Amino acid sequence: MDPLFAFDDAQCQALAEAHGTPCFAYSGRVAEGQLLALRAVLPARVRLAFAVKANSHPALLRRFATLGASFDCASIGELEKVEALALPPGRTFFAGPGKRAPELQRALALGVRIQAEGWEDLARIDALAGGEVAVNLRVHPAFDIAEGNRIIGGSGPSAFGVDEEDVPELLARAATLRHVRIRGLHVFAASNQRDAAKLLAIHGAVLDLARRLCETHGLVFEQIDLGGGLGVPYAAEEAPLDLVALGQGLSNLLERHSWFTGELILEPGRFLAGPCGVYLARVVRVKESRGTRFVILEGGINHLLRPLLTGQPFPVKAVGKTEGQVPVTLAGPLCTSLDRLGDVRLPELAPGDLLAFGTTGAYGLSEGMTHFLSHPVPPEAWVD
Ligand SMILES: Cc1ncc(COP(=O)(O)O)c(C=O)c1O
């Protein structure tokens, strides 16, 4: 089985016929495999919290909940989806740079651990809380190991967290609050990183930062949240993340930082959900224009916006066709020349042919612009 595609050609054909196109399909087996493979290498003191923004399909959330996952939410909508899972306390987190008072109120009522992004979060939580509330402080570090990628934004200005150099002033203000206690750190500094050594370098730098903060300011951290960022391959030549190296490296870090006795948290979205999804769409037209062959599909950036936003294309195959490879530009049906899904080489295509985009279980439909042009929202099939 091609690891880029959760379903083989016969399964893709059957799914397209059963659910109609365009559609998404998610493999419960593959999603479970991702979670169990990662869990198996992690030290017991690492908690896995699935980043719901990657894919909030209820069956996927239920499956991960059954397997013991915690959840990272970033809106009231995501909190409500996780609330429906009726989890025990301590398994839900709430992050986001623009939390409104009703969202904070809801998170407090649900006993969710909040990642405070700055003074406004701390002050609002303090005003809303009826008693002591432990929160994690999200810090935007000065180091830039993530190479300034477009998702995290590198070490420059950021809407996320409090800049590392401003932490001392913020802590002094936070000491005046009645209810809020900073009991953890949150740093998210990587995205789609398939190099375990680079991830571990970031995690090591975060633990060093945590130690400096605890030593300098007398803080005690129950949790250090290392964010997401675990990468997956999007092309045959891309090597997968070395999970054994990641797990071993995290064990080594915990040993090296024996001052820290709390739990580490990882919040992967892409790693846990990406590989389980395919997006299926049929060719509507093939058009030559001034030397470029456009293959116009039933769906475009209304369903898969990620490549346009980040420059990371999803892998694509022509279902049931392998002969020949011609360069084509994949376009969607929307009335904007931004509606492109990639410049790729595919076999000769004709109207009605089925394309499958692989590894679309994360940041696929959850990030699509489904309202734009009001095409029907594609069905999402959960296959177990
Ligand atoms: C706070 C937070 N945690 C976790 C994630 C998940 O990241 P990834 O899908 O790269 O693992 C994100 C993604 O934007 C995030 O903002």
Side-chain angles (χ1 to χ4, degrees), residues 51 53 72 95 138 186 188 190-192 227-230 267-270 363:
K53 61 178 73 63
D72 158 54
R138 183 165 182 180
H186 180 272
F188 179 27
S191 183
N192 196 23
L230 282 67
E267 295 173 344
R270 185 192 312 271
Y363 308 115

Side-chain angles (χ1 to χ4, degrees), residues 26-235:
Y26 309 124
S27 160
R29 183 184 57 79
V30 172
E32 178 165 329
Q34 288 298 105
L35 190 134
L36 293 182
L38 181 55
R39 184 64 273 171
V41 299
L42 294 178
R45 269 209 287 146
V46 180
R47 177 187 291 273
L48 266 186
F50 174 57
V52 176
K53 61 178 73 63
N55 187 332
S56 62
H57 192 282
L60 181 70
L61 300 184
R62 259 197 316 277
R63 172 58 54 90
F64 285 162
T66 309
L67 295 169
S70 297
F71 294 89
D72 158 54
C73 300
S75 74
I76 201 160
E78 290 185 358
L79 282 173
E80 283 168 358
K81 287 182 179 184
V82 171
E83 188 185 357
L85 302 170
L87 297 173
R91 280 177 57 183
T92 312
F93 298 85
F94 183 34
K99 303 184 201 73
R100 292 166 299 121
E103 292 179 298
L104 288 169
Q105 202 160 17
R106 189 65 176 267
L108 286 170
L110 293 171
V112 164
R113 183 74 163 230
I114 299 171
Q115 322 280 14
E117 304 255 353
W119 173 249
E120 293 77 8
D121 272 1
L122 293 172
R124 283 186 190 132
I125 295 165
D126 202 61
L128 292 165
E132 193 170 298
V133 183
V135 301
N136 298 341
L137 183 65
R138 183 165 182 180
V139 173
H140 175 53
F143 57 81
D144 182 9
I145 308 174
E147 292 148 5
N149 72 62
R150 286 159 76 180
I151 297 164
I152 310 302
S155 61
S158 174
F160 303 113
V162 52
D163 292 342
E164 183 179 339
E165 56 278 21
D166 296 335
V167 170
E169 190 191 328
L170 184 80
L171 291 177
R173 285 181 90 183
T176 65
L177 296 172
R178 273 179 60 207
H179 300 305
V180 173
R181 301 289 173 261
I182 293 169
R183 293 273 188 264
L185 178 69
H186 180 272
V187 176
F188 179 27
S191 183
N192 196 23
Q193 183 54 262
R194 287 177 294 106
D195 183 337
K198 283 192 181 167
L199 274 175
L200 289 164
I202 297 169
H203 298 338
V206 173
L207 281 159
D208 290 341
L209 168 65
R211 174 163 39 198
R212 283 198 304 279
L213 292 175
C214 288
E215 283 176 359
T216 315
H217 303 283
L219 296 168
V220 177
F221 288 158
E222 299 160 348
Q223 301 183 334
I224 299 175
D225 190 326
L226 301 167
L230 282 67
V232 295
Y234 283 105

